[in-house]
Amino acid sequence: MKGIAAGIGVVAFSPLLLAGATMMMASSSEAATTASFSGCLTGLDTAEVTKEVTKILDGASGKDIHIQGLDLPAEQIPNAQTIVATGLSLDVPKKGQIVAIATAMQESRLRNLNSGDRDSLGLFQQRPSQGWGTAQQIRDPVYASEQFYKRLLKVDGWQQMKVTQAAQAVQRSGYPDAYAQWEDLAAALQKAIAKTFPNAGKDEPAKDKNTESASGAVSCVPDKDGTSFGRIPEGSVPKGYKIPKDADPKARAAIEWAMHQLGTLYQWGGSCTDSHGPDPMKHCDCSSLMQQAYAHADVKLTRTTYTQVNEGKAVSAKNLKPGDLIFSRGTAARPEHVGMYMGEGLVIEAPRTSKPTRITPIKDWDILAARRVL
């Protein structure tokens, strides 16, 4: 996932502000959580947690989802996914992601709260008055996660600490041992969610003495990764490719239309309404290619990558179907690039300035999110 962090805004803080920002009083949500839950969630069936988490990420309502320790999985699991995705985008080690999830479980039960003790807000109950950002910023799960990770990474020796010690070093809670009760659940959630991001653990050591390896995440890509077609010349259709017979008719129509734009040059902000014409502003960028392809299949999509990531329903990268939108660069909540899965391990995209609309193997994608719009 190297390079993804470049798409995330960096906020500069003075040393004095950083020192103050780590000071955080115990929130009312902490007290309620500690009072309503006792003992650690040990002995969790990680395979079962993974199964239930995958259901939510594949679009299940949450009504019949049961995970020990989560009472609102339809709300909590997507928030945990954002925390993991943000950690991956910043190259935070797996243990750091577990620390972050355990912290959010203790502080807010993985809910993006509008209030808390004094001016505490959001997933981590961060306080504007203590330098964490504005109230609006803190209520953004991606921003809140970024700020937690930035402060965690500044703690000397955090990777050698216990999860609860690392969390406490950032939060300075009135309940310093409370984070420990969520460690097993946090580890299970991190593992389940990381599996939906291809190659999420590729830069991690094979074994981590503190947490279980996430190297199995590479198995969660489609069965075909596009390598069987060999090198694909830009703007061409790989020899032997055919849209899968079981593709949804509207997905087929969208893919076919997109393929007719192959070889046309990318134009940032272009409408994709006449990609072969002389007006560059009618050529395609990544999101307008998706919008117009589906418009020709009588499916309405919004215009930008930032909004298309909320279209339809979420699906995991291992269960892609032709026509699914896949997102990369930036973060899962705010990706910067989108393409369309074509089946057979291939993706059609309008990549970037000076490059033509092209077909690429999915192995070349670091998938942050996937959406089914049909």
Side-chain angles (χ1 to χ4, degrees), residues 331-343:
T331 67
R334 194 172 174 80
E336 297 174 357
H337 186 56
V338 61
M340 183 184 297
Y341 185 62
M342 303 172 63

Side-chain angles (χ1 to χ4, degrees), residues 108-300:
S108 69
R109 284 294 190 92
L110 276 172
R111 295 168 297 160
N112 194 15
L113 299 177
N114 288 313
S115 61
D117 180 62
R118 305 184 206 188
D119 57 341
S120 299
L121 296 166
L123 288 174
F124 299 90
Q125 289 290 280
Q126 296 158 336
R127 298 176 59 191
S129 64
Q130 297 299 315
W132 288 90
T134 66
Q136 182 178 4
Q137 287 174 323
I138 292 170
R139 284 273 295 140
D140 177 350
V142 175
Y143 174 90
S145 299
E146 289 174 356
Q147 297 312 302
F148 178 86
Y149 284 127
K150 287 175 182 178
R151 286 154 179 75
L152 175 65
L153 295 176
K154 288 181 179 292
V155 175
D156 288 339
W158 71 267
Q159 293 196 63
Q160 286 70 52
M161 296 178 181
K162 293 181 180 179
V163 167
T164 193
Q165 292 172 328
Q168 173 63 4
V170 176
Q171 301 294 97
R172 302 294 178 90
S173 166
Y175 300 87
D177 298 321
Y179 303 102
Q181 64 187 325
W182 305 112
E183 182 173 348
D184 281 10
L185 176 60
L189 289 174
Q190 191 280 335
K191 180 179 180 181
I193 292 168
K195 284 186 175 181
T196 68
F197 297 98
N199 300 323
K202 66 183 180 182
D203 293 320
E204 293 271 350
K207 292 291 182 181
D208 184 323
K209 67 180 181 180
N210 295 306
T211 56
E212 190 174 350
S213 174
S215 59
V218 296
S219 65
C220 291
V221 295
D223 291 338
K224 297 181 180 179
D225 64 5
T227 56
S228 62
F229 292 99
R231 180 182 173 276
I232 304 172
E234 287 190 337
S236 68
V237 179
K239 185 177 180 180
Y241 170 78
K242 293 182 179 179
I243 300 173
K245 293 181 179 179
D246 60 352
D248 183 285
K250 291 188 175 182
R252 178 180 294 276
I255 293 170
E256 287 177 346
W257 189 89
M259 288 171 66
H260 280 98
Q261 317 316 311
L262 286 170
T264 61
L265 282 179
Y266 175 99
Q267 175 60 51
W268 186 87
S271 65
C272 203
T273 53
D274 186 13
S275 66
H276 295 274
D279 184 351
M281 292 313 297
K282 292 184 179 180
H283 292 187
C284 307
D285 65 13
C286 65
S287 54
S288 64
L289 177 64
M290 302 300 105
Q291 182 189 48
Q292 291 303 314
Y294 265 111
H296 284 78
D298 296 321
V299 176
K300 185 177 181 179

Side-chain angles (χ1 to χ4, degrees), residues 41 66 73 212 346 359:
L41 282 169
H66 303 287
E212 190 174 350
L346 298 176
I359 294 173

